[in-house]
Amino acid sequence: MRLRSSRSCGQTRARGYAAARVSSEAFLPLPAPNALSRSRAVRLLEAKLGPSKVLCDGAGLEQYVTDDSGFPGVVPDAVVLAEGPDDILRTLAIAQETGVPVTPRGAGTGRTGGATPIVGGIVLALVGMRQILEIDRNEGLAVVEPGVVLADLQHAVEREGWFYPPDPNSAASCVLGGNVAENAAGPRALKYGPTRDYVLGMDAYLMGGTRLAVGRRTRKGVTGYDLAALLVGSEGTLAVVDKLVLRLVPKPEHVLTFSLQFSRIEHAVLAVTRLAARGCVPRCAELLDAATLEVMRSAGNPVSTAARAMLLLEVDGSEAACEAQAEQVAACAEEVHALEVLAAQSENQRSKLWDARRQMSYAVRRTARHKISEDVVVPRQRLRELLSGVQRLGETHGVRALSYGHAGDGNMHVNFFWDDDEEKRRVDDAVAELFRLTVSLSGTLSGEHGIGALKAPYLPLEQHDDLIALQRDIKRVFDPSGLLNPGKIFPTTHQAC
Ligand SMILES: Cc1cc2nc3c(=O)[nH]c(=O)nc-3n(C[C@H](O)[C@H](O)[C@H](O)COP(=O)(O)OP(=O)(O)OC[C@H]3O[C@@H](n4cnc5c(N)ncnc54)[C@H](O)[C@@H]3O)c2cc1C
């Protein structure tokens, strides 16, 4: 149904970077096990886990060299196909004993090289641990193994009248262990928050094989440090996680989805801030810029040729609450001169809108040989400056750029494209400048994809040496030998900055 047709119808935090020098304290050395240790580790793994759970021949190992980012890793010496907690325990014990690094891995949909084995060693693949162990209707919680596919959990709890809100657009393939390690978010984080808000507890396995029950099953708890919160988003660098205890919320009674088209991106951004100012918090507010709409059109989606920006808004709650929010959306759209507002009238129409959004990442990827998708966040009020800055960067560096993403919480996926090495160098410069711009707008380098290996060299742009050193000390407490997922989060060389 066509609801309405209007018109035609700061202070920089880059102190570490401003100082332009990061002390060597900020850098973590990479472990370098020798050939003897590696082959001993493989032999022990085969002996203690059984050869069927240990891949150690060339062809099978290749698929574990990188993740969705394409960040180049080193072919691992072995991949452990874990089927249960004992496999995690034994792998970490053998790794410690032989001094060989371990890279935990979920579905490999990560976008920063987090599951990439930077120095080879052992990849601990957890997708085989895919049982939903419990859905407790009375307590409103679920307990899952780390290899459960997110969409499977969402469907299972919704059948029980509950709702698990985190919804990265990779929901059909990513798994809960990876979500917890990355503190994954997605469109619905605007209203419901990221994964961290739903993790009550877990079993954490430290390098060497110690198992710790971290957190709790209760909704409240202030017993000791909140280590469960620390492990969420730690990118597999502190512990391997299993038996995740996840909080559920009642399934919303109604959902309404709108698509708004605009002749100027400024109007779309204004709609996001005006809605917030009215006290209306949609569960999703996804923004697509003009270049992204071009890709949508060529993929056959119905987008007006006059449109230079689109917002996908979704509200939920009781029927009355949805109606009230729909009125707010319509009034706001008129205020900011939306070209048109469409409300999905059926589940089928809703899915079509979301399918187009979810396919965006793959559709834009087809427009060049390579792309990099950054994940910066700025305060909503600074979105306009970020987006005009991205356009400027594209022009200055002569690179193709487009942006789409979770505008409601200021989190934009800025994509750069290249076909050859020369263009790649210009993209690298544009990326570094994007990060500087983001920090100067009081933003942060990653809203949901994490730092991984890809962004590690840029950490000092945002965080002071002392803060990096403190985090590095925390890493040492959990993993004194530095063997768990080395080369992630912390810079390992002096490049890039
Ligand atoms: C098309 C597409 C859309 C996406 N959209 C979104 C989005 O909207 N929002 C969003 O947040 N992300 C998004 N992502 C990124 C990605 O899907 C998420 O980061 C996801 O959480 C990664 O899960 P995974 O199972 O693939 O983890 P992997 O990529 O395998 O691993 C990610 C990190 O988790 C660690 N890890 C994995 N399992 C464990 C474990 N059991 N214990 C300890 N550490 C572990 C790994 O070492 C690695 O550092 C998208 C990716 C794609 C390809």
Side-chain angles (χ1 to χ4, degrees):
M1 178 191 77
R2 195 166 291 260
L3 255 195
R4 162 169 296 115
S5 186
S6 57
R7 272 271 165 109
S8 63
C9 112
Q11 176 197 357
T12 178
R13 283 193 286 131
R15 289 164 300 165
Y17 185 70
R21 285 286 163 270
V22 182
S23 83
S24 56
E25 281 298 289
F27 295 86
L28 266 182
L30 287 174
N34 60 34
L36 216 62
S37 313
R38 291 166 187 271
S39 53
R40 186 162 163 253
V42 176
R43 276 200 316 278
L44 284 171
L45 287 170
E46 286 186 317
K48 299 221 168 145
L49 283 91
S52 66
K53 293 185 193 168
V54 184
L55 284 181
C56 50
D57 69 74
L61 299 174
E62 291 287 339
Q63 58 182 300
Y64 296 91
V65 168
T66 189
D67 62 4
D68 190 76
S69 70
F71 188 90
V74 169
V75 179
D77 301 283
V79 175
V80 170
L81 307 170
E83 291 175 11
D86 286 349
D87 297 334
I88 302 178
L89 270 175
R90 288 184 185 130
T91 303
L92 295 176
I94 292 168
Q96 179 76 57
E97 188 185 329
T98 54
V100 172
V102 173
T103 305
R105 185 178 179 97
T109 68
R111 297 211 136 158
T112 55
T116 298
I118 300 296
V119 289
I122 302 164
V123 167
L124 178 54
L126 295 144
V127 282
M129 294 175 65
R130 49 173 171 261
Q131 279 194 64
I132 298 179
L133 300 169
E134 190 183 342
I135 295 176
D136 186 331
R137 268 180 263 169
N138 298 324
E139 294 290 342
L141 59 80
V143 183
V144 301
E145 289 188 324
V148 171
V149 173
L150 172 59
D152 292 347
L153 175 70
Q154 289 171 334
H155 296 145
V157 301
E158 284 175 34
R159 282 195 293 273
E160 306 283 339
W162 287 95
F163 187 54
Y164 181 70
D167 65 334
N169 283 317
S170 51
S173 48
C174 66
V175 299
L176 266 307
N179 291 175
V180 168
E182 295 291 3
N183 190 21
R188 297 197 296 232
L190 175 57
K191 176 171 177 181
Y192 289 101
T195 298
R196 180 175 285 116
D197 295 357
Y198 297 89
V199 180
L200 297 175
M202 64 191 72
D203 279 0
Y205 294 85
L206 305 186
M207 178 50 72
T210 309
R211 183 184 74 88
L212 299 172
V214 174
R216 53 191 196 275
R217 272 181 75 103
T218 53
R219 296 208 157 214
K220 294 166 77 177
V222 197
T223 310
Y225 294 134
D226 191 349
L227 294 185
L230 173 64
L231 291 179
V232 180
S234 64
E235 305 191 35
T237 60
L238 301 180
V240 177
V241 298
D242 177 29
K243 261 201 187 171
L244 306 163
V245 184
L246 305 171
R247 183 172 76 86
L248 307 174
V249 297
K251 187 176 165 195
E253 286 170 45
H254 290 275
V255 181
L256 287 179
T257 308
F258 308 92
S259 127
L260 287 71
Q261 299 189 19
F262 302 86
S263 59
R264 297 180 57 183
I265 196 155
E266 294 83 355
H267 295 168
V269 171
L270 201 58
V272 172
T273 45
R274 290 268 173 95
L275 267 180
R278 284 167 171 267
C280 173
V281 181
R283 73 178 191 177
C284 313
E286 299 285 295
L287 173 67
L288 295 87
D289 75 358
T292 310
L293 294 187
E294 210 43 69
V295 179
M296 275 188 95
R297 280 187 204 99
S298 33
N301 293 292
V303 181
S304 146
T305 46
R308 307 279 301 152
M310 181 190 275
L311 269 184
L312 192 56
L313 295 179
E314 192 159 271
V315 299
D316 69 4
S318 66
E319 200 169 354
C322 283
E323 274 169 20
Q325 292 176 87
E327 278 169 25
Q328 302 258 38
V329 168
C332 183
E334 182 156 16
E335 238 173 77
V336 301
H337 312 299
L339 286 174
E340 68 174 31
V341 183
L342 300 173
Q345 291 302 293
S346 62
E347 199 45 45
N348 187 30
Q349 283 182 6
R350 248 193 92 214
S351 313
K352 276 195 181 146
L353 285 175
W354 278 110
D355 283 350
R357 165 67 184 92
R358 291 205 180 95
Q359 286 311 310
M360 196 43 58
S361 171
Y362 300 107
V364 299
R365 184 169 296 182
R366 288 192 285 272
T367 65
R369 285 178 65 202
H370 306 281
K371 77 151 185 162
I372 188 166
S373 177
E374 292 305 345
D375 164 41
V376 294
V377 194
V378 294
R380 274 195 292 256
Q381 312 282 349
R382 315 296 299 266
L383 261 179
R384 244 182 81 171
E385 290 162 85
L386 175 72
L387 292 167
S388 54
V390 169
Q391 199 179 345
R392 215 174 36 247
L393 279 179
E395 287 159 11
T396 319
H397 294 277
V399 293
R400 290 163 285 164
L402 62 76
S403 307
Y404 59 85
H406 320 306
D409 37 34
N411 182 194
M412 293 305 294
H413 298 314
V414 179
N415 292 258
F416 294 106
F417 303 87
W418 70 96
D419 285 317
D420 55 43
D421 289 349
E422 203 277 316
E423 217 176 350
K424 169 76 166 75
R425 276 190 288 278
R426 284 183 272 131
V427 166
D428 287 343
D429 291 344
V431 167
E433 213 170 303
L434 169 70
F435 290 153
R436 282 186 211 108
L437 170 68
T438 301
V439 172
S440 76
L441 295 173
S442 306
T444 185
L445 303 188
S446 173
E448 49 185 27
H449 292 167
I451 297 298
L454 207 59
K455 280 185 264 189
Y458 301 99
L459 187 68
L461 280 176
E462 181 178 333
Q463 297 193 340
H464 191 271
D465 283 6
D466 296 343
L467 183 55
I468 297 177
L470 177 69
Q471 293 173 90
R472 213 183 61 155
D473 287 346
I474 293 173
K475 160 82 174 157
R476 258 202 229 99
V477 170
F478 277 81
D479 174 25
S481 52
L483 290 173
L484 191 58
N485 212 359
K488 313 299 160 66
I489 303 180
F490 304 102
T492 49
T493 67
H494 288 259
Q495 77 206 34
C497 288

Short mmCIF file of all heavy atoms in Angstrom, two decimals, residues 23 50 62 87 160 214 238 252-253 264 305 356 375 382-384 389 402 411 437 470 482 484 487:
data_model
loop_
_atom_site.label_atom_id
_atom_site.label_comp_id
_atom_site.label_asym_id
_atom_site.label_seq_id
_atom_site.Cartn_x
_atom_site.Cartn_y
_atom_site.Cartn_z
N SER A 23 53.81 3.27 21.21
CA SER A 23 54.96 2.64 21.85
C SER A 23 54.97 1.16 21.51
O SER A 23 53.93 0.57 21.24
CB SER A 23 54.89 2.84 23.36
OG SER A 23 54.06 1.86 23.90
N GLY A 50 41.37 -38.72 17.44
CA GLY A 50 40.99 -39.67 16.37
C GLY A 50 41.14 -38.98 15.02
O GLY A 50 40.77 -37.82 14.88
N GLU A 62 42.71 -25.76 2.62
CA GLU A 62 42.68 -24.47 1.90
C GLU A 62 41.48 -23.62 2.29
O GLU A 62 41.56 -22.40 2.38
CB GLU A 62 42.64 -24.71 0.38
CG GLU A 62 43.92 -25.27 -0.20
CD GLU A 62 45.04 -24.23 -0.26
OE1 GLU A 62 44.73 -23.04 -0.23
OE2 GLU A 62 46.21 -24.66 -0.31
N ASP A 87 36.75 -32.23 22.77
CA ASP A 87 37.63 -31.92 21.63
C ASP A 87 38.26 -30.54 21.80
O ASP A 87 39.41 -30.32 21.42
CB ASP A 87 36.84 -31.98 20.32
CG ASP A 87 36.28 -33.37 20.05
OD1 ASP A 87 36.88 -34.34 20.56
OD2 ASP A 87 35.25 -33.48 19.36
N GLU A 160 8.30 -21.07 20.11
CA GLU A 160 7.91 -21.16 21.53
C GLU A 160 7.36 -19.83 22.03
O GLU A 160 7.17 -19.64 23.23
CB GLU A 160 9.13 -21.53 22.39
CG GLU A 160 9.87 -22.77 21.97
CD GLU A 160 9.14 -24.06 22.37
OE1 GLU A 160 8.32 -24.00 23.29
OE2 GLU A 160 9.41 -25.09 21.74
N VAL A 214 31.47 -19.33 33.29
CA VAL A 214 31.51 -17.87 33.43
C VAL A 214 30.08 -17.32 33.36
O VAL A 214 29.29 -17.79 32.55
CB VAL A 214 32.35 -17.27 32.28
CG1 VAL A 214 32.30 -15.76 32.29
CG2 VAL A 214 33.80 -17.75 32.37
N LEU A 238 40.69 -14.56 23.88
CA LEU A 238 40.86 -14.83 25.31
C LEU A 238 40.47 -16.26 25.68
O LEU A 238 41.08 -16.86 26.56
CB LEU A 238 40.01 -13.85 26.14
CG LEU A 238 40.30 -12.36 25.96
CD1 LEU A 238 39.37 -11.52 26.84
CD2 LEU A 238 41.76 -12.05 26.28
N PRO A 252 7.54 -10.00 19.67
CA PRO A 252 6.63 -8.87 19.46
C PRO A 252 5.36 -9.33 18.73
O PRO A 252 5.41 -10.18 17.85
CB PRO A 252 7.43 -7.92 18.56
CG PRO A 252 8.82 -8.41 18.58
CD PRO A 252 8.83 -9.84 18.98
N GLU A 253 4.22 -8.72 19.14
CA GLU A 253 2.94 -9.15 18.55
C GLU A 253 2.84 -8.76 17.08
O GLU A 253 2.31 -9.51 16.26
CB GLU A 253 1.78 -8.46 19.27
CG GLU A 253 1.50 -8.98 20.65
CD GLU A 253 0.50 -8.06 21.35
OE1 GLU A 253 -0.51 -7.67 20.73
OE2 GLU A 253 0.77 -7.72 22.52
N ARG A 264 17.32 13.28 -1.75
CA ARG A 264 18.65 13.67 -1.23
C ARG A 264 18.95 12.87 0.02
O ARG A 264 18.08 12.67 0.87
CB ARG A 264 18.65 15.17 -0.87
CG ARG A 264 18.42 16.05 -2.08
CD ARG A 264 18.43 17.50 -1.71
NE ARG A 264 19.69 17.86 -1.07
CZ ARG A 264 19.95 19.08 -0.59
NH1 ARG A 264 19.03 20.04 -0.68
NH2 ARG A 264 21.10 19.33 -0.02
N THR A 305 13.71 6.20 -10.20
CA THR A 305 14.95 6.75 -10.75
C THR A 305 15.28 8.09 -10.08
O THR A 305 16.43 8.53 -10.10
CB THR A 305 14.85 6.97 -12.28
OG1 THR A 305 13.59 7.59 -12.55
CG2 THR A 305 14.96 5.66 -13.03
N ALA A 356 16.04 -7.88 -0.50
CA ALA A 356 16.84 -6.93 -1.29
C ALA A 356 17.95 -6.36 -0.42
O ALA A 356 19.10 -6.24 -0.84
CB ALA A 356 15.95 -5.82 -1.83
N ASP A 375 33.08 -0.66 8.65
CA ASP A 375 31.98 -0.87 9.59
C ASP A 375 31.98 0.22 10.66
O ASP A 375 31.89 -0.05 11.85
CB ASP A 375 32.25 -2.28 10.20
CG ASP A 375 31.51 -2.60 11.43
OD1 ASP A 375 30.33 -2.26 11.47
OD2 ASP A 375 32.10 -3.19 12.35
N ARG A 382 26.22 13.02 13.50
CA ARG A 382 27.37 13.26 12.63
C ARG A 382 27.31 12.44 11.33
O ARG A 382 28.26 12.45 10.55
CB ARG A 382 28.69 12.93 13.36
CG ARG A 382 28.81 13.45 14.78
CD ARG A 382 28.81 14.95 14.91
NE ARG A 382 29.86 15.68 14.27
CZ ARG A 382 31.00 16.07 14.84
NH1 ARG A 382 31.25 15.75 16.09
NH2 ARG A 382 31.88 16.79 14.18
N LEU A 383 26.19 11.72 11.14
CA LEU A 383 26.08 10.86 9.95
C LEU A 383 26.26 11.62 8.65
O LEU A 383 26.91 11.16 7.72
CB LEU A 383 24.69 10.20 9.92
CG LEU A 383 24.59 8.76 10.43
CD1 LEU A 383 23.15 8.28 10.34
CD2 LEU A 383 25.50 7.83 9.63
N ARG A 384 25.67 12.81 8.61
CA ARG A 384 25.76 13.61 7.38
C ARG A 384 27.20 13.90 7.04
O ARG A 384 27.64 13.78 5.90
CB ARG A 384 25.02 14.94 7.60
CG ARG A 384 23.84 15.08 6.70
CD ARG A 384 23.20 16.39 6.90
NE ARG A 384 23.91 17.44 6.17
CZ ARG A 384 23.47 18.67 6.03
NH1 ARG A 384 22.33 19.01 6.57
NH2 ARG A 384 24.15 19.54 5.36
N GLY A 389 31.80 13.03 3.81
CA GLY A 389 33.23 12.74 3.85
C GLY A 389 33.58 11.55 2.97
O GLY A 389 34.59 11.56 2.26
N LEU A 402 30.66 3.15 -1.84
CA LEU A 402 29.21 3.27 -1.56
C LEU A 402 28.97 2.90 -0.10
O LEU A 402 29.76 2.18 0.51
CB LEU A 402 28.37 2.43 -2.53
CG LEU A 402 28.49 0.91 -2.60
CD1 LEU A 402 27.82 0.24 -1.43
CD2 LEU A 402 27.85 0.42 -3.89
N ASN A 411 25.79 3.37 12.42
CA ASN A 411 26.75 2.35 11.97
C ASN A 411 26.60 2.12 10.46
O ASN A 411 25.64 1.52 10.01
CB ASN A 411 26.45 1.05 12.75
CG ASN A 411 27.40 -0.10 12.43
OD1 ASN A 411 27.11 -1.23 12.78
ND2 ASN A 411 28.52 0.16 11.81
N LEU A 437 38.72 10.20 9.78
CA LEU A 437 37.50 11.01 9.76
C LEU A 437 36.53 10.52 10.84
O LEU A 437 35.97 11.31 11.62
CB LEU A 437 36.84 10.89 8.37
CG LEU A 437 35.44 11.49 8.25
CD1 LEU A 437 35.48 13.01 8.38
CD2 LEU A 437 34.78 11.10 6.92
N LEU A 470 46.87 -1.89 28.49
CA LEU A 470 46.03 -2.53 29.52
C LEU A 470 45.30 -3.75 28.93
O LEU A 470 45.25 -4.82 29.54
CB LEU A 470 45.01 -1.52 30.07
CG LEU A 470 44.03 -2.08 31.10
CD1 LEU A 470 44.73 -2.40 32.41
CD2 LEU A 470 42.89 -1.10 31.35
N GLY A 482 50.28 -16.45 24.46
CA GLY A 482 49.88 -15.73 23.24
C GLY A 482 49.54 -16.65 22.08
O GLY A 482 49.65 -16.26 20.92
N LEU A 484 46.50 -18.15 21.55
CA LEU A 484 45.10 -18.19 21.12
C LEU A 484 44.80 -17.03 20.17
O LEU A 484 44.86 -15.86 20.53
CB LEU A 484 44.16 -18.15 22.34
CG LEU A 484 42.69 -18.46 22.02
CD1 LEU A 484 42.53 -19.83 21.38
CD2 LEU A 484 41.83 -18.37 23.27
N GLY A 487 47.63 -12.36 16.36
CA GLY A 487 47.57 -11.44 15.22
C GLY A 487 46.25 -10.71 15.11
O GLY A 487 46.00 -10.05 14.10
#
